[in-house]
Amino acid sequence: MKAEYKKIVLLANNFPSERSPARSPFNYNLAQQLSKIADVEVIVFRTVGLRKIKPQSYIYNSIKVKEVYLPIIPFGTTSIPFSSSYLVTFISTIIASICIKLLNLNFKNCIFHSISAGFISVIGDIISRKNNSPHFIQLIGSDVNIQLPIYKRIPAFRAAVNNAKGIISNSKSLANNLSKSGLKYNTVKVIYRGANRDNFRAGINYGFSHKTINFLYLGGIIKSNEFSDGNKKGGITLFNAWSKDQHFFTERGANLYFGGPIDGYAPHDPIINDFKSKETVFFLGE
């Protein structure tokens, strides 16, 4: 691929950084895998109110990342149904222009990969067509299951799906839901993402007691802000579920092994201390 395409540009709405290592491990793993076959650069669209406009750059574990700050509410959420398809096209064109002019990137001989078939895929379609480059869209879950009923009515989104060189689906279910949407597209390939199951083999002693029921969670927790729903899923949801009835788990000999970064919480935050105090919970660290 390096001979024909010099770079793969990933378009995403989140990516880890030194200050937030727990964010979007799937996006990071994708970037790492693709970096084995081509140069990779990630463009992240973040929503931060009116605080920042100028794009920021950083390198995370050898991956080049550029952040574009959007001074508006996140696009594509069900709380903001788009009544005007022209609005979506207009805003997408503006952001695409920001990427081309302000980020100072060389888009020659690039492949564009939009992580999510939502607003980002519209931006990816515009940039790729301006540069006469192939564009791929990745179905991740919420984009198809929640946003698609809204977006499929928007001409700019339908064009993005139809123009895409190919579509990658994280599961067969997502691919099937796309096929039922009535949208036109070229081809869909199912490529699963997640932990490598070969790393967890029967017969290997991981230090767990065989006399108990053990749950292993490696997702960490992310503290949310006014623009994020990070505290509504993952580690916090697990905290709440496990704390609801300690007697239930103790009675059944269940233990929770909790690992991954704790992002945004102080080491002695009340919610962390409360969870660590439970006798059925064992923190593994990062």
Side-chain angles (χ1 to χ4, degrees):
M1 181 176 292
K2 282 192 174 181
E4 184 176 356
Y5 296 106
K6 296 180 179 180
K7 182 184 295 184
I8 297 175
V9 179
L10 294 180
L11 307 178
N13 61 7
N14 225 331
F15 200 79
S17 64
E18 294 298 331
R19 67 182 183 274
S20 300
R23 295 186 184 277
S24 300
F26 289 127
N27 292 353
Y28 170 69
N29 290 339
L30 172 63
Q32 284 283 24
Q33 290 295 317
L34 291 177
S35 68
K36 297 178 180 179
I37 59 174
D39 295 330
V40 172
E41 190 142 10
V42 182
I43 301 178
V44 183
F45 300 93
R46 295 195 185 281
T47 307
V48 290
L50 297 174
R51 289 174 291 168
K52 293 182 180 180
I53 300 296
K54 185 178 180 180
Q56 305 291 315
S57 301
Y58 64 91
I59 296 177
Y60 184 77
N61 290 350
S62 77
I63 302 296
K64 296 178 182 179
V65 183
K66 292 186 181 291
E67 296 180 328
V68 177
Y69 295 95
L70 308 179
I72 40 183
I73 300 299
F75 300 109
T77 61
T78 54
S79 60
I80 311 173
F82 289 109
S83 59
S84 173
S85 61
Y86 298 104
L87 176 62
V88 176
T89 305
F90 176 70
I91 296 176
S92 301
T93 303
I94 291 177
I95 296 177
S97 298
I98 290 175
C99 292
I100 294 172
K101 294 180 180 179
L102 296 185
L103 294 180
N104 193 28
L105 294 176
N106 180 6
F107 286 138
K108 292 182 179 179
N109 298 323
C110 285
I111 291 177
F112 292 89
H113 180 126
S114 296
I115 305 177
S116 172
F119 184 81
I120 288 176
S121 67
V122 179
I123 299 173
D125 178 56
I126 293 173
I127 298 177
S128 63
R129 285 191 288 107
K130 281 181 176 291
N131 290 274
N132 195 28
S133 299
H135 176 223
F136 293 85
I137 297 175
Q138 180 178 346
L139 310 181
I140 60 174
S142 59
D143 51 354
V144 174
N145 297 329
I146 298 176
Q147 298 172 4
L148 188 60
I150 297 174
Y151 268 82
K152 70 179 183 180
R153 300 194 298 266
I154 301 173
F157 175 72
R158 294 201 300 269
V161 174
N162 186 47
N163 294 334
K165 183 75 172 179
I167 296 177
I168 302 164
S169 176
N170 287 349
S171 71
K172 290 182 179 179
S173 176
L174 292 176
N176 291 337
N177 287 343
L178 178 67
S179 68
K180 299 174 184 178
S181 68
L183 294 170
K184 296 180 180 180
Y185 52 88
N186 290 317
T187 183
V188 176
K189 183 176 179 62
V190 176
I191 301 177
Y192 296 101
R193 69 177 184 180
N196 186 349
R197 289 178 292 182
D198 290 338
N199 294 333
F200 302 90
R201 299 176 182 174
I204 297 179
N205 183 8
Y206 295 103
F208 301 152
S209 170
H210 294 289
K211 297 181 181 180
T212 61
I213 301 172
N214 296 298
F215 296 88
L216 175 64
Y217 175 81
L218 300 175
I221 57 172
I222 302 174
K223 191 171 186 177
S224 71
N225 55 46
E226 58 183 316
F227 299 106
S228 169
D229 62 354
N231 67 343
K232 297 179 182 178
K233 61 181 181 180
I236 294 297
T237 301
L238 183 56
F239 276 12
N240 295 334
W242 201 271
S243 301
K244 192 171 184 179
D245 189 353
Q246 274 296 291
H247 178 71
F248 175 87
F249 296 106
T250 303
E251 187 179 59
R252 288 160 176 78
N255 292 320
L256 172 63
Y257 291 82
F258 190 99
I262 297 179
D263 183 7
Y265 288 90
H268 300 293
D269 189 282
I271 191 172
I272 304 300
N273 281 338
D274 178 62
F275 203 54
K276 285 184 175 180
S277 68
K278 307 200 182 300
E279 61 181 16
T280 58
V281 178
F282 300 88
F283 272 72
L284 305 177
E286 296 187 21

